[in-house]
Amino acid sequence: MPLEPVAIVLDPASPIAVGGEAFEVHLPIFEGPLQLLLHLIESRQLDILSVPLAQVADAFVEHLARAPVDASNLSEFVAIAAQLIWLKSRRLLPGEAPTAIEDGTDEPDAATWLGARDLLAPLMHREPRESDLPDAPAVALPAVLLSESLDRLAAAPEPDAPPSEVVAREITIGMQIRVLLEALSQGGRVILQTVLAGARSRSEAAVTVLAMLELARRRQVRLEQSTLFGPIVVTAVETGS
């Protein structure tokens, strides 16, 4: 026979008495007997998720501390508290609802459903509290150990210096102007393509062309090209001519 939740049939208006003193619940959303709280929840007049059950249990424990323990009333409270916990656990289960058991009853077999979901997905997640974390013992390091560590650090050799950076040679227009003037001083004329053929890089060739144009702008040389894409003849201009 499948297990079912124990039905609790109580008079909602009759509070639980402990040692002759009635126990009532005092919450922001409800004040009154515990039986009435269960009745309102089961009749869906009050949302179980809005009831802090831990606070109800703490209040009953404080009530027991002030009054003698009555076994029958204590068992009645445990039965009602178990019913409230079961109702709240059903509301807290995420996602799909458990299916009904096969004997035709309306109540689901929660234990079977939870067992099938075990290790498949976490049901609830709660961040750890500081009280849940283990104590980390703080042990001070001996002063001798710290002193020895500093001595070994001071004795460590300095790291090798990084290799010097190789800086590419810079060629300026002024440098190439002097080179061109020296070449022109030997024969009075040169062919630009011949000068560019001796360039060691594209940048040197480009700066040489700019230097040649600068000399032409200063009217120190004359540029001649008789045919399209033909040789460019650079002739020195005599001073005073």
Side-chain angles (χ1 to χ4, degrees):
M1 179 177 181
L3 298 178
E4 298 182 3
V6 178
I8 301 178
V9 181
L10 300 170
D11 183 2
S14 176
I16 298 176
V18 179
E21 181 180 354
F23 170 69
E24 292 190 352
V25 179
H26 298 277
L27 300 173
I29 60 172
F30 172 81
E31 289 189 3
L34 189 61
Q35 294 92 331
L36 179 58
L37 174 63
L38 177 59
H39 172 74
L40 294 176
I41 293 173
E42 289 183 328
S43 60
R44 299 190 178 182
Q45 302 180 51
L46 186 64
D47 188 3
I48 183 63
L49 296 181
S50 62
V51 179
L53 298 183
Q55 185 175 344
V56 175
D58 292 341
F60 187 75
V61 172
E62 294 179 0
H63 186 74
L64 290 178
R66 298 192 303 267
V69 177
D70 188 314
S72 60
N73 291 324
L74 180 60
S75 61
E76 184 178 355
F77 171 82
V78 172
I80 295 176
Q83 185 77 354
L84 291 174
I85 293 173
W86 182 78
L87 291 173
K88 192 166 188 177
S89 64
R90 290 185 60 186
R91 289 291 309 278
L92 289 175
L93 289 176
E96 63 202 81
T99 57
I101 53 180
E102 297 178 356
D103 62 352
T105 60
D106 295 333
E107 295 296 338
D109 188 352
T112 303
W113 182 74
L114 289 175
R117 289 181 59 90
D118 188 23
L119 300 180
L120 296 180
L123 294 179
M124 298 184 65
H125 175 73
R126 178 178 66 84
E127 295 295 332
R129 299 169 297 185
E130 293 186 0
S131 58
D132 297 334
L133 300 177
D135 296 333
V139 180
L141 293 176
V144 176
L145 179 60
L146 179 59
S147 177
E148 293 177 353
S149 300
L150 292 176
D151 291 340
R152 287 196 296 269
L153 181 61
E158 293 291 336
D160 297 335
S164 58
E165 184 179 358
V166 179
V167 179
R169 180 183 178 185
E170 294 183 357
I171 302 175
T172 63
I173 294 177
M175 294 170 56
Q176 293 306 97
I177 286 177
R178 290 192 294 270
V179 171
L180 291 172
L181 291 177
E182 183 179 355
L184 290 171
S185 64
Q186 298 177 4
R189 58 186 299 178
V190 294
I191 298 177
L192 180 58
Q193 286 84 341
T194 303
V195 176
L196 296 178
R200 291 168 293 182
S201 63
R202 290 184 178 181
S203 60
E204 183 177 348
V207 173
T208 302
V209 173
L210 293 177
M212 188 71 69
L213 294 176
E214 177 63 20
L215 288 174
R217 188 189 67 82
R218 297 178 186 179
R219 299 183 184 276
Q220 293 180 258
V221 298
R222 184 173 59 252
L223 304 178
E224 297 177 358
Q225 186 179 35
S226 58
T227 60
L228 185 63
F229 301 112
I232 300 175
V233 181
V234 183
T235 306
V237 177
E238 296 181 2
T239 304
S241 60

